[in-house]
Every structure is written in C-alpha cells, then in structure tokens.
Amino acid sequence: MLRRLLRSRTARAVTAAGLVGALLGAGAVAWRTDTLPLVGPAPCWDSLTDTTVSDLFGDRRTEAEEQSLQANPRDQESSYGQCRITSYKDDMARRQVTVRVHRLDGLRGTDAHEWPREYLAAGLVALGDGLPGMTSSTRAWLALPQSCTGRDEFTGPTVVDVAMGQAGLEVSAEYDREDRAALTRAVVEAANGAIREFGCSGTYRAPRDLPSLVTQQDTEADAFCGIKGLTLPAAYRKDLVRTRLGGDGGPARICEAGGGYRPALRMTTVTDAALTEIFSRDALKAGLSVKGTNGYGRFDGARALYRASCQTGPVVFMVEQLEPVADGDFGLTRALLPGYVSAEAERIGCGPLEVTLPGA
C-alpha cells in the first residue's frame, strides 16, 4: 500500500474540514500541519518525530510516500519496502530523504559492491552505545535485531538505511554535524518503526554522543591508516598523501587514501559477523584464490579480500583500488593485501595471519 503524507508548517488558505475531506477523498492521510491537529501517522511507519522531520527539512512543505513493509510473496526478495520524503519550496523539490528496509544479500553478491561504496565509506562513524550501525551527514544505517528478522546462511543483516543527497557530499563542519545528528535520529526512529511493523518488541535508543567528523589527515607511511606495522610502499606515497579513517569501534573500520577529494584506495575491516556475510560470494568465487592461515579469499586485480576465522567470529579484510596511481598503476591491492591482513589482524587481536596472493 502506498500512502501519501502531506506536511506544511505554513498556514494553508483552506479550512481544516475541507483539507481533511479532500485528502481522505484522494486516499491520502494528512499527518500534521500548523492549522490541524495530528490526524494520521507520522512518516515512515509512524516513526519519524516532528523534531527529526523539522531538523531534516526545516519549515518547508513536505510530502512522503510510504510502502507497507512486507517481503515479495512470490520470491521472498530481500527488499521489504521504503519511505521517501521530499521537501518543497513553492513547487520546486529542495531536499529528499529515502529510508529503505532490506536484507543484505551475500549468496548472489548483489550487495557486496554498491551498498558498501555508500554505507561502508570512511566518512561514516560508528553509532556506538551498542548500536549495530554507522552514520554520516548523507548516509546512515542500522541493523535490525536478528531475533526479530531472522537470518539464513550467506545472508547479511536486515538493515534500515537512510540516504540524503549525494553520498559523501560535505558542505561545512557546522552543517555536516547538524545533518548527521538529524540523520542519526532518523535511522534509529525508522528502525524502531520497522521493528513494530514486523510485530517485534523492543526499541533502540539514539546514541548519546557521536565521534568527531571524519577529516583528512596527512598519511603516515610507516603506520599506514593508523596500523602499526603496515608500511605504504614508496612507489605510492606521492599519490596517497592524505587519508581518512572512519568507523573505529563499530561494525567496520574503513580507511580511504588519495591525493584529493576522490580516494584512490579503500581498505576495510569488517568485524560484525552478520555483515561479513555480504562478501560471501566474493570471498569464494571472485577472481583468483588467496591462500592463508585460518581463512580464505579471492583476488581480482582491483579488489582483494580475505575472510578469516578469529576468536570473535569471522572477519573480512578488504583492499580496493578505486583510481589508478603511479602513472596508471593498478598494483595497490597486490602490494597491500598481505601486509594489511597481517598487521590489521595483530591490531584487532586476530593474529598471526599470513596470506599469499596468486603468483607470489
């Protein structure tokens, strides 16, 4: 079922009775205006509070389209539904937020590339306070309890993710902090709404504090990406002069490195056991085999990953080259994966681990 929810913070030139009658006649539900009492549910499964919507959209008129949360009855696809809110100035759309509820796939590999590119990027920080998710000023996600949604082998967690504008777009520290705070409340509130829709009990509490915004730092070649024992080869140092490190203490730790706004390299350590499953197909079937202790992996040139069995459960170590460096060289994954796995495993208490790339 698709519901349209209309919101306005300015007085409308129409009586309350007339507005309600028109909306109900059109199959819509008005949920709040300055001239009406609350006459319907809040957006996104009756979850987003007035404060959160106001912080996201200001005083502009908003319209929300919402799908009921249910799996496809024919093939049980991973998508349960979404909610989209758009704000308008006059008749021009100004800002849009999309909230999705879906199970991350690992068996077919459909969520191993595009979703991590947006939701496991260095600009995101861990939500903290025991919340299994991450947040930034443009993207946020939170995994729903497995006791509520269940999980099969080779499937990741069921997540609520929130997207606002271009992924990774940064305006200023002040605006980014405000948007990140609002997006964080939105993902927690929407997750609680999804939990209710699925007929489960319990709620998440919004984190009390968030880490500082992730900023670029000068690269430390002898402790690359803040990892003691990992040395950046000299051939790549002139291209990877700046690094960004996000996600410390959360489901995934991500380091991006490059020379400007667009990173040339991303290295990711996924420690959340359920989240590692979205890389199952890549770890088993993508490219050439990577040998090593306590695990297995694959290498396909621009991307290499290794899945290890650690004391805390499965951990995925991944190196991705996003742009050419050193005059067109695409050798970063081969140059860095063995050292990255070894040094990062020691850092997180999973070592010693050694890996060997094909042809080495």
Side-chain angles (χ1 to χ4, degrees), residues 108 237 299:
R108 294 168 294 179
R237 294 180 186 181
F299 167 76

Side-chain angles (χ1 to χ4, degrees), residues 107-172:
L107 183 61
R108 294 168 294 179
T110 56
D111 288 316
H113 292 262
E114 190 63 36
W115 192 84
R117 190 173 298 125
E118 295 191 24
Y119 293 93
L120 295 183
L124 285 90
V125 299
L127 289 172
D129 290 349
L131 293 170
M134 304 177 74
T135 187
S136 72
S137 60
T138 61
R139 296 293 186 271
W141 66 272
L142 180 57
L144 298 179
Q146 292 182 39
S147 59
C148 175
T149 61
R151 188 169 70 86
D152 299 325
E153 188 178 11
F154 299 121
T155 62
T158 297
V159 299
V160 175
D161 59 41
V162 183
M164 183 169 66
Q166 179 182 336
L169 179 64
E170 297 172 347
V171 180
S172 69

Side-chain angles (χ1 to χ4, degrees), residues 215-289:
T215 58
Q216 289 191 345
Q217 306 292 328
D218 291 338
T219 295
E220 294 183 36
D222 294 329
F224 189 44
C225 287
I227 304 171
K228 183 180 178 180
L230 179 60
T231 300
L232 177 64
Y236 303 112
R237 294 180 186 181
K238 68 176 182 179
D239 293 288
L240 305 180
V241 295
R242 304 285 284 171
T243 57
R244 280 164 54 100
L245 179 62
D248 254 339
R253 182 184 191 265
I254 308 105
C255 177
E256 294 174 347
Y261 177 75
R262 291 172 58 89
L265 171 75
R266 179 179 297 128
M267 300 197 301
T268 307
T269 303
V270 182
T271 54
D272 181 273
L275 196 59
T276 63
E277 293 295 337
I278 70 174
F279 302 103
S280 295
R281 183 179 178 87
D282 279 11
L284 290 168
K285 297 184 177 182
L288 303 174
S289 177

Side-chain angles (χ1 to χ4, degrees), residues 268-277 279-280 282-284 290-298 304-318 337-338 340-356:
T268 307
T269 303
V270 182
T271 54
D272 181 273
L275 196 59
T276 63
E277 293 295 337
F279 302 103
S280 295
D282 279 11
L284 290 168
V290 174
K291 307 295 185 181
T293 54
N294 296 329
Y296 54 90
R298 308 294 289 188
L305 61 85
Y306 190 78
R307 177 186 170 105
S309 297
C310 299
Q311 297 89 328
T312 56
V315 174
V316 164
F317 306 89
M318 183 166 58
L337 183 72
Y340 177 57
V341 172
S342 178
E344 181 72 334
E346 288 292 334
R347 189 189 67 83
I348 65 175
C350 180
L353 287 180
E354 294 184 5
V355 302
T356 303

Side-chain angles (χ1 to χ4, degrees), residues 188-204:
V188 172
E189 291 170 2
N192 288 335
I195 290 171
R196 290 193 302 270
E197 288 288 301
F198 287 141
C200 302
S201 60
T203 58
Y204 286 127

